[in-house]
Amino acid sequence: MALVTLAGYPASGKTTRAAQLEAGLPGLLPDHLSVCVVSDESLKISPSVYDDSRTEKPARAALFTAVQRLMSPTTVLIVDAPNYIKGFRYQLYCAAREMKLRVCTVYTVATPDSCRKWNALRTDNRAYETATLENLLVRFEEPSSMVRWDSPLFTVPWNEDLPTTAIVDAILSGSIKPPNSGTISVAKAPSDALHVLERITTATVAAIINAAAQTEGGGGVVTLPIATDVQIQISLPARHLTLSELQRLKRQFVTVHKKAVTLGTTERGAVDWTEESVAQKFVTYLGEHLKP
């Protein structure tokens, strides 16, 4: 349904805001929607992982995997984590787009001094080491409403109420971005596609040469026996067709479609590598390129 990403300085109140959303959203959402919070704490990720990049990266990967697993058309998923790197927020945004979920970002704003004070008051083993806290404060990349992965952006100072109603509007009626083209799975051609492509085009050329010989260059519509149970009609031009001309067009056709097979760029929604489909595509190609 939606992905709500919290961002802000460490110890700026993100967990408090996540709890407020988790408590307030169910009464404002349709009954079929549920609210779920995924956080470092729920995944038992210690604040100490941010002491070193070698431990931070796998922790962030674990968070991303959990987010992907919990995304659902019937779930409002709240991500309560540092999310201080814009590249990671973009990664979350792309995952949400792939699932066709609405997105929004809640930016909890507090001064660095306030964050230092609140971090020092923590007694639940969730406090950051002083050096780690200072490092995260420096590295924090502020969300911006000007970039699509942070929009719509709700900036919430620590001493102001959460705009729950506006967030609900974004969740229920915000635009759903189509999946990024780079993340769309492309249908793969079958393993024997290249063999079928070569065999059918060769058989088609041979059938055209035979048909042209029978019509003695008169042209017209003829039926080509391509393979077992495969017969295709083609309109031949009223002139003598040479084998070299047909072979040249065959090579062009095969080259284009061989690239599609090897690179996985076959046309979406119309991938059909049966003998009849390949023969029909080739005959259509010939009809467009054979000169009268």
Side-chain angles (χ1 to χ4, degrees):
M1 175 61 187
L3 177 72
V4 180
T5 303
L6 278 85
Y9 284 152
S12 62
K14 294 186 296 298
T15 299
T16 299
R17 298 302 190 181
Q20 291 173 349
L21 281 173
E22 186 179 22
L25 287 180
L28 301 173
L29 296 174
D31 293 338
H32 71 283
L33 298 180
S34 61
V35 180
C36 177
V37 176
V38 60
S39 64
D40 283 356
E41 187 171 4
S42 70
L43 297 176
K44 297 182 172 23
I45 297 174
S46 170
S48 62
V49 302
Y50 297 97
D51 296 345
D52 191 311
S53 61
R54 290 174 297 180
T55 55
E56 179 183 346
K57 288 180 179 179
R60 195 159 53 237
L63 174 65
F64 182 70
T65 299
V67 169
Q68 286 184 302
R69 184 175 64 252
L70 293 169
M71 284 180 175
S72 163
T74 59
T75 301
V76 176
L77 183 60
I78 302 169
V79 185
D80 171 25
N83 300 327
Y84 67 93
I85 301 174
K86 63 182 179 182
F88 183 65
R89 296 198 299 269
Y90 176 70
Q91 192 176 5
L92 293 174
Y93 166 79
C94 289
R97 284 182 61 176
E98 192 169 355
M99 287 290 293
K100 298 181 180 179
L101 306 182
R102 294 183 175 91
V103 298
C104 71
T105 302
V106 177
Y107 176 23
T108 63
V109 180
T111 65
D113 285 341
S114 296
C115 295
R116 294 184 184 101
K117 180 178 68 174
W118 295 331
N119 184 67
L121 293 174
R122 285 180 166 176
T123 58
D124 55 358
N125 295 321
R126 300 301 304 173
Y128 296 93
E129 293 291 337
T130 300
T132 302
L133 177 65
E134 295 300 325
N135 184 36
L136 292 175
L137 289 173
V138 171
R139 293 168 60 194
F140 180 72
E141 296 176 329
E142 184 175 343
S144 170
S145 60
M146 301 298 291
V147 297
R148 60 189 183 278
W149 58 87
D150 288 332
S151 299
L153 176 65
F154 300 96
T155 301
V156 187
W158 68 273
N159 58 350
E160 294 186 9
D161 292 335
L162 193 67
T164 307
T165 302
I167 294 173
V168 169
D169 288 341
I171 290 171
L172 295 179
S173 58
S175 62
I176 300 177
K177 303 295 184 182
N180 190 313
S181 60
T183 66
I184 298 177
S185 298
V186 178
K188 298 295 183 181
S191 58
D192 64 342
L194 292 177
H195 175 68
V196 172
L197 181 64
E198 184 64 36
R199 178 167 54 81
I200 293 300
T201 52
T202 298
T204 303
V205 168
I208 290 176
I209 290 295
N210 290 335
Q214 293 175 10
T215 62
E216 298 181 348
V221 177
V222 297
T223 300
L224 305 176
I226 306 299
T228 305
D229 298 327
V230 177
Q231 293 187 341
I232 301 293
Q233 286 190 332
I234 185 174
S235 179
L236 299 178
R239 64 176 179 84
H240 177 65
L241 294 175
T242 65
L243 178 60
S244 60
E245 178 184 12
L246 293 174
Q247 291 283 25
R248 175 177 56 81
L249 293 173
K250 170 184 171 292
R251 285 193 299 271
Q252 292 173 356
F253 179 84
V254 168
T255 298
V256 171
H257 286 74
K258 184 181 293 185
K259 184 177 180 180
V261 173
T262 56
L263 296 182
T265 55
T266 51
E267 58 269 34
R268 299 185 182 97
V271 180
D272 185 355
W273 289 94
T274 62
E275 292 180 340
E276 184 174 3
S277 177
V278 172
Q280 186 60 63
K281 288 180 180 179
F282 184 42
V283 165
T284 301
Y285 180 85
L286 290 175
E288 294 172 351
H289 291 82
L290 285 173
K291 296 180 181 179

